[in-house]
Each structure stands twice: as C-alpha cells, then as structure tokens.
Amino acid sequence: MCGIVGYIGEKEKKKIILKGLKELEYRGYDSAGMAILKGNDITHFKAVGKLKNLEEKTKNFTSEGFGLAIGHTRWATHGKPNEINAHPHLGEYSYVIHNGIIENHQELKNELQEKGFSFLSQTDSEVIVHLFEMFIKEGFGAFEAFEKTVKKLQGAYAILLISKVDKEKIFFAKNLVPLIVGKSSENEIFFSSSDAPLIGYAQDVVYLHDKTYGYAQKGEINIYENSVLQKPKFKKLSISKLSAQKEGFRFFMEKEIYEQSAVASETLMGRVQKNRVILDDIDDSFFNEINEIKICACGTSYHAALASSYLFERVSKIKCSVEIASEFRYKEPLLKNDTLFIVISQSGETADTLQALKMAKKAGLKTLAVCNVDNSSIVRISDEILLTRAGIEKGVASTKAFTTQFIVLWMLALKLGELKGNLGQNIVESEIETLLKVPAVLKVDEKIHEKIRRLSKRYLHGHGFFFIGRDLFFPLALEGALKLKEISYLHAEGYPAGEMKHGPIALADSELFTVALMPKTMLYDKVKSNVEELSARDATILALSPLEFDIADDFIKTKGYDHPMLEFFEMSVIVQLLALEISVRLGNDVDMPRNLAKSVTVE
Ligand code: AGP
C-alpha cells in the first residue's frame, strides 16, 4: 500500500516529509517522491527504490519558512516502479499524490487526451492533476476545480494536491483508503495515511470518512461531503509508534488477517465489471492456443495454486496441473508450448519458483506471474503479471497474500472460461456477483475471533493435528495445517478427508485433534462420514460448518454462504485466526517464527 504525508507550516519541510515517509516504510514501497510549494516556487523530487535514494537526491535542498509539502511512497499497482510512475504527478503548475486505484482512469485519460492533455506516466493517478487543471482552465476557482475533480473519480483514493493557483492550501480527498489530517498547537497542519508519522507532531487528528474532501490552510481544516461543509470531529492521537504501525493489533499477522477485507477490494478494483473480467493490460490474445495450465509455487502460494486448479478444470474446463517448485526443478518435466505456465509468489523472490519459471521460459512456454511485489525478480522475467495488490505482508505466515492470490486466480479462471467459450455469460455474471461478495466475507467476525481465542486454550498439546477437507477445502486444509505448524510449532497435517481410512486414522485417539472443514456447499455428507469415523475412534474434533454437528467436541458455526468459494474464504480466516491464537497462548513470536524467513531466496 502507498504512503502519504503532507505538511503546512513554517518548519523545514524536506526533513518533515522524509521523516514522515520513513515512518510509513513498514507499508512497503518501490519508489518515493515529494513536492514543496513555497511562495511562487514549486519543487519536486522522485526516486526509485528505498528512501535513501530520495534523501540523496534532496541532500542539497532545504525549505525553511512558510510553505506546503506533500510526500509519497508508492507500492506499484498500475505501471512499473520507475521514476516517471513515482508520485507526485505533475501538471503545469500543480502536483498530486494518490493512494488507491482510480477505477475509471482510462476513460478520464481518454477524455483529457482529447482535450490536449499529455501524460507522462502509466499510472491511474496522473489523471487527477490534469483533471484539476482542466477545470482551472475552464475558469473555476481552485477549490471548485478540486471539488469537480473529486466528483469525477470512481474507486479508492487518498489524495493530496498542491498548486500554484492557491499557494496557501493543500487540497485533499478520501474514499476507501485511509487519510488522516491533524493539527499541532502551533497551528501547523499534517496529513498521513496512518498514525505513525503524526506522532510527536500533531496532537488532534481527524480520521477522514469515505467520500469526504476539502482543503487545509494554516491552522484551518475544511471538510466537505456532498458539497456540505462538515464539522471536523477531532480525536487525540495515540502515542505508541509501533502499535501505530500495527494499528493497534498485537501482531502484523493479526493486522494482515483483518486487512484482508480491504485489500480484497483493491485486488478486485478495476478488474470486474457486471459481466466480464478485465485482467489489467493482458491482451486476450495472450491466451490463444493455450490448452493446458501448469502452476508452480511453494508453501502457501502452492496451496492457492492447488485450490485454483479445481477452478481451472471445473470453471474454465482447461486441464490444470500444479507442481511444488522444488520438485519441479529436478523432475525433467515434459513441457508443451500450448501450456500456460503460471507462477505464484508473494515475494516474487522465492528461489525455487524463480528457477522453475526460468525453465518454463527456456522451454518456450508463455508465462504469467501472480505476485505481490511489482519490482521483484519473478515479475521482471514473466511475460505477463497479475499483481495481488495486498500491500506489504510483514507477517512471515502468509495470510492476505493467500486470499488475494486465490481471488486473482478465480478471476483468471473466469476470464479463461469465457475466452475459451466454456463459460456462458449468465454463469460469468453470477460468478462475478459472488466474487464481489468476497471482501465482505473476509471481514473478521469479532464474535468468531473471540470464540477462537477462548477455545484455543484446549489445543496447546496433543500429538498432532489433522486438518481435513474435500475438493477446494483440501488445499485449505493444507494451508490451515501450515499456518498452525509455522507459528505454533505443533505438528499438523492437511489431508483429503477421504484419505483418513487409508492409514492416517490409525493415529486417532483423544489426543489427536482434527480440524474438519465441513462446508454445506461441497460434499458435506462425505466429509461428515469421514469425521464420524474419526470421532468413533475418540479423536477430538473441531468442526467448522454452518450445519449443527453434535458429535464435534468443539464447533465453530459458519454463516452458511450459498457458494463454495464464499465458504472457502470464510473458513480461511478461521484457520488463520486459530493458528494465531494458539501461537499467542504458546508465547511464540507470531510475526517472526523460529527458523523461518519471509522470503526463501535460497534453495
Ligand atoms: C507461508 O505462510 C510461508 N511463509 C511460506 O510457505 C511461503 O508461502 C513460501 O515460502 C512461498 O513464498 P512466496 O509466496 O513469497 O513465493
């Protein structure tokens, strides 16, 4: 996720902006920039990579005395991470920084280009500054021009804009993406994407609501909603920086589980319309002559791959195989060039996955990466990319990356099904309708979380866990087991529920904990009988299901969504929280579990 900071006041502005951006580094970024307006001078700097590159570029610049300043760290969603695409984006006399995704940016860009505006970057954000200057050219005042600009935008945005047409004001707008405005006892104004950069500067802050916009000037904040001036509701700012970065959660992993609903909206943003999926700028022709899909990944990404293979065969009607990258590398695989080779990686740097990708490219296959980091090695060498847009994932145990990978793969399955003529329009529309419910499904139910926190005390010992499920829920069982293993250090295995009687049931006794995924929309009766077999041998059962199941020792009642994919996402949050709460009770380092790294860049 991008980071935004802004300042109005007398202090030296470069330092304040750099310091603020540093506090936002935890959000992840691949480029950064700032713009400073003082008197009639407007200066800007941009740099790719880490903030130290921006510091280097601005080392001979200072800006004392009253002025305005805005700063931005970019996590690429549209357009490569390079200097041109870094924010701020320039007009003739105005600068804008933006976090989020402007869904209708292409249509606005076409409109502006027809009116003679030229664009430098590949980003969606640049339309904002040209739109603003278009309204100025039409004779509107600065605030009216900004208000008209905001009203034309669709999608998610946190915007700061400064312009020579009004040297006293920073214009702002907020929808679906956080933006905080604060003031100090010296009448300075501060903006930020989160609390951390404001701590030690602003005392009173306003957490802007969706669809609000306005302007700030020395000691004054004017917030509008539907053209009506609002009375700002100030709050006292929290004082702990680290908890600010975790935004009040105990661990980054917990924060990232709670973020899944919001980031899922970004993953979907601009990619689905009522009756079709738009896969960014991947031309449909890329999928011509593709008759098979092979997916390669590791760990959690492998589980997302395995789950998506059910969709590619059932929905797209395309043969799909899934490989663990470290195995694939040495098995002398038979590769055909009508196979689309997909790699899935949160980091984009996993050595085995990267090498597997190179093997596929060498064999002449078309390659596509589903990845969360734009300027990563895997992204750089893949033919096409679909970014998961999950924002930085700091917890070593992957959560939001997994769910956003699966959302992207679901969209890809729908796209391929449609392109291959294997999916009727009505099915596509109903699947998209379901897809758009996922962000709400991913919203953590606090009551469920509290129940998991309470029952986790019963699962701190024993000689192991089985996570069992069928069909899509088998890869989810694997993922639930991996989550538990990697942060609780308890032994857990994911198993197809139907496999129990082929050996594993020999382990069944009261000290064997079975987490049974029992969705009502997928083979419920089959799973139920498998669980009954385990229960009859005294295994301790924790059942996740919308249907009452009285032989379970513990039972988490799910909401009973009428689509397996929605039941999948709901249960994925539950198994993530279960692993988290057991690990917390065991006193483990949830975010940095022993022996693990966030990205396995070696074999
Ligand atoms: C997931 O919780 C683990 N941290 C690990 O299995 C991870 O998924 C695996 O190393 C693959 O990483 P990648 O997605 O960055 O390629």
Side-chain angles (χ1 to χ4, degrees):
M1 267 176 279
C2 309
I4 279 185
V5 291
Y7 174 69
I8 301 176
E10 312 278 341
K11 286 195 180 80
E12 201 289 307
K13 288 164 277 308
K14 174 192 76 174
K15 259 212 296 286
I16 287 191
I17 293 299
L18 285 173
K19 205 167 170 332
L21 293 179
K22 254 190 180 337
E23 293 297 341
L24 293 173
E25 284 196 292
Y26 72 91
R27 298 162 69 89
Y29 65 102
D30 42 52
S31 58
M34 70 168 81
I36 291 171
L37 173 55
K38 181 167 174 279
N40 211 26
D41 293 332
I42 199 162
T43 320
H44 78 282
F45 302 90
K46 300 189 191 188
V48 179
K50 293 303 169 201
L51 275 181
K52 65 179 183 332
N53 301 337
L54 185 61
E55 282 170 344
E56 181 55 28
K57 284 203 165 184
T58 57
K59 68 183 179 199
N60 300 323
F61 173 80
T62 57
S63 172
E64 306 284 350
F66 178 77
L68 319 177
I70 57 177
H72 186 269
T73 48
R74 178 173 184 252
W75 178 279
T77 55
H78 283 82
K80 286 285 166 222
N82 56 32
E83 219 167 280
I84 288 194
N85 289 334
H87 300 213
H89 289 291
L90 297 58
E92 277 174 57
Y93 38 77
S94 317
Y95 288 74
V96 72
I97 56 177
H98 163 238
N99 182 9
I101 292 171
I102 305 296
E103 271 204 89
N104 59 335
H105 72 275
Q106 196 51 58
E107 155 202 335
L108 294 173
K109 185 170 181 174
N110 297 340
E111 213 181 286
L112 288 159
Q113 284 173 322
E114 276 156 29
K115 294 188 174 173
F117 287 85
S118 52
F119 283 73
L120 289 175
S121 80
Q122 305 158 301
T123 67
D124 55 330
S125 312
E126 191 180 349
V127 295
I128 300 166
V129 70
H130 297 313
L131 213 46
F132 172 76
E133 293 193 351
M134 179 189 82
F135 287 119
I136 294 289
K137 283 188 167 51
E138 290 177 6
F140 293 98
F143 177 61
E144 290 71 23
F146 184 72
E147 183 175 41
K148 285 177 150 319
T149 298
V150 173
K151 291 185 173 175
K152 282 188 74 87
L153 304 179
Q154 292 167 19
Y157 49 79
I159 295 167
L160 296 183
L161 182 143
I162 56 176
S163 175
K164 282 185 174 178
V165 294
D166 191 326
K167 305 183 191 65
E168 310 290 315
K169 293 185 179 70
I170 292 185
F171 298 95
F172 62 85
K174 186 267 187 219
N175 189 44
L176 300 176
V177 172
L179 185 62
I180 309 167
V181 54
K183 61 181 184 181
S184 73
S185 50
E186 299 155 64
N187 268 339
E188 298 163 305
I189 297 288
F190 296 89
F191 288 92
S192 177
S193 309
S194 71
D195 286 350
L198 300 173
I199 293 168
Y201 288 96
Q203 283 77 38
D204 302 298
V205 294
V206 178
Y207 294 90
L208 293 168
H209 294 159
D210 284 347
K211 294 280 185 206
T212 55
Y213 58 92
Y215 63 89
Q217 54 193 2
K218 192 172 165 75
E220 193 188 319
I221 299 169
N222 299 282
I223 303 170
Y224 291 78
E225 190 163 357
N226 294 324
S227 305
V228 176
L229 185 61
Q230 308 291 309
K231 183 166 176 25
K233 296 183 184 67
F234 283 98
K235 287 185 180 158
K236 286 296 172 206
L237 187 63
S238 74
I239 49 169
S240 138
K241 273 211 180 97
L242 193 57
S243 86
Q245 288 191 359
K246 291 178 191 162
E247 289 165 19
F249 291 101
R250 294 167 293 175
F251 303 100
F252 281 110
M253 180 184 175
E254 185 178 37
K255 172 171 167 269
E256 287 150 12
I257 292 171
Y258 274 75
E259 267 176 355
Q260 290 182 121
S261 176
V263 297
S265 297
E266 294 224 3
T267 305
L268 291 166
M269 195 77 68
R271 288 169 161 167
V272 282
Q273 292 177 354
K274 184 174 171 310
N275 54 5
R276 69 194 183 107
V277 168
I278 305 157
L279 291 179
D280 299 353
D281 44 11
I282 302 179
D283 195 280
D284 290 354
S285 61
F286 175 71
F287 300 108
N288 290 349
E289 290 100 51
I290 292 296
N291 300 309
E292 190 174 332
I293 291 172
K294 188 173 281 292
I295 316 177
C296 213
C298 303
T300 287
S301 298
Y302 168 73
H303 299 151
L306 202 54
S308 72
S309 65
Y310 290 83
L311 302 182
F312 285 119
E313 298 216 338
R314 181 176 291 144
V315 173
S316 319
K317 304 275 185 283
I318 297 180
K319 189 172 176 315
C320 178
S321 58
V322 186
E323 309 260 3
I324 288 179
S326 55
E327 285 298 301
F328 176 80
R329 285 181 68 183
Y330 303 102
K331 65 183 276 190
E332 293 158 42
L334 298 177
L335 297 173
K336 298 193 283 108
N337 57 17
D338 68 344
T339 299
L340 172 62
F341 195 83
I342 300 174
V343 287
I344 302 174
S345 176
Q346 188 288 129
S347 62
E349 299 300 344
T350 300
D352 287 322
T353 310
L354 180 58
Q355 291 312 317
L357 173 62
K358 288 176 179 171
M359 285 169 63
K361 281 186 74 73
K362 196 157 165 249
L365 275 65
K366 286 181 178 177
T367 59
L368 183 146
V370 174
C371 187
N372 195 36
V373 182
D374 196 341
N375 59 342
S376 62
S377 307
I378 284 177
V379 161
R380 272 196 292 277
I381 69 168
S382 296
D383 296 323
E384 294 292 351
I385 295 104
L386 284 172
L387 292 175
T388 45
R389 303 178 185 165
I392 191 167
E393 185 175 70
K394 290 178 78 75
V396 166
S398 187
T399 50
K400 61 178 183 172
F402 171 69
T403 41
T404 52
Q405 284 166 355
F406 195 30
I407 291 171
V408 167
L409 290 159
W410 185 7
M411 286 193 277
L412 182 58
L414 292 174
K415 182 71 182 177
L416 285 174
E418 195 197 342
L419 286 178
K420 299 287 172 198
N422 300 332
L423 211 51
Q425 200 48 46
N426 55 335
I427 305 261
V428 171
E429 286 187 21
S430 75
E431 286 288 287
I432 285 176
E433 216 177 296
T434 306
L435 188 58
L436 292 170
K437 293 173 184 168
V438 171
V441 169
L442 287 169
K443 202 156 176 47
V444 174
D445 177 333
E446 303 269 356
K447 286 198 295 297
I448 295 258
H449 188 175
E450 178 50 27
K451 170 150 194 178
I452 292 168
R453 201 189 60 71
R454 280 201 320 277
L455 67 78
S456 60
K457 59 178 168 295
R458 299 183 190 160
Y459 295 98
L460 306 179
H461 57 289
H463 60 68
F465 289 75
F466 276 139
F467 284 71
I468 63 171
R470 282 181 180 253
D471 200 278
L472 281 177
F473 296 81
F474 161 48
L476 185 56
L478 292 173
E479 176 57 13
L482 176 62
K483 287 286 91 58
L484 185 64
K485 270 185 282 215
E486 60 180 336
I487 61 176
S488 74
Y489 318 145
L490 296 173
H491 181 68
E493 279 186 82
Y495 246 97
E499 272 294 288
M500 285 297 106
K501 52 188 169 307
H502 299 284
I505 203 162
L507 287 172
D509 61 27
S510 61
E511 290 297 288
L512 177 83
F513 304 135
T514 297
V515 179
L517 307 180
M518 303 174 72
K520 74 172 187 183
T521 55
M522 185 62 75
L523 303 169
Y524 176 80
D525 292 336
K526 298 283 181 200
V527 182
K528 184 165 176 278
S529 62
N530 298 142
V531 180
E532 284 160 349
E533 288 158 13
L534 280 156
S535 174
R537 289 157 182 83
D538 206 24
T540 301
I541 308 289
L542 164 55
L544 279 54
S545 181
L547 307 175
E548 291 305 326
F549 186 55
D550 53 10
I551 63 166
D553 304 277
D554 276 316
F555 180 68
I556 295 176
K557 188 170 175 50
T558 54
K559 293 188 174 53
Y561 293 108
D562 56 6
H563 194 291
M565 291 294 281
L566 300 183
E567 291 203 277
F568 180 101
F569 284 110
E570 182 186 16
M571 290 188 186
S572 62
V573 173
I574 292 171
V575 297
Q576 291 166 352
L577 292 170
L578 180 65
L580 171 77
E581 294 303 341
I582 291 174
S583 174
V584 170
R585 283 187 183 275
L586 293 169
N588 295 350
D589 182 342
V590 169
D591 286 331
M592 301 283 286
R594 69 184 186 195
N595 310 336
L596 297 181
K598 183 58 188 167
S599 179
V600 182
T601 54
V602 293
E603 276 210 44

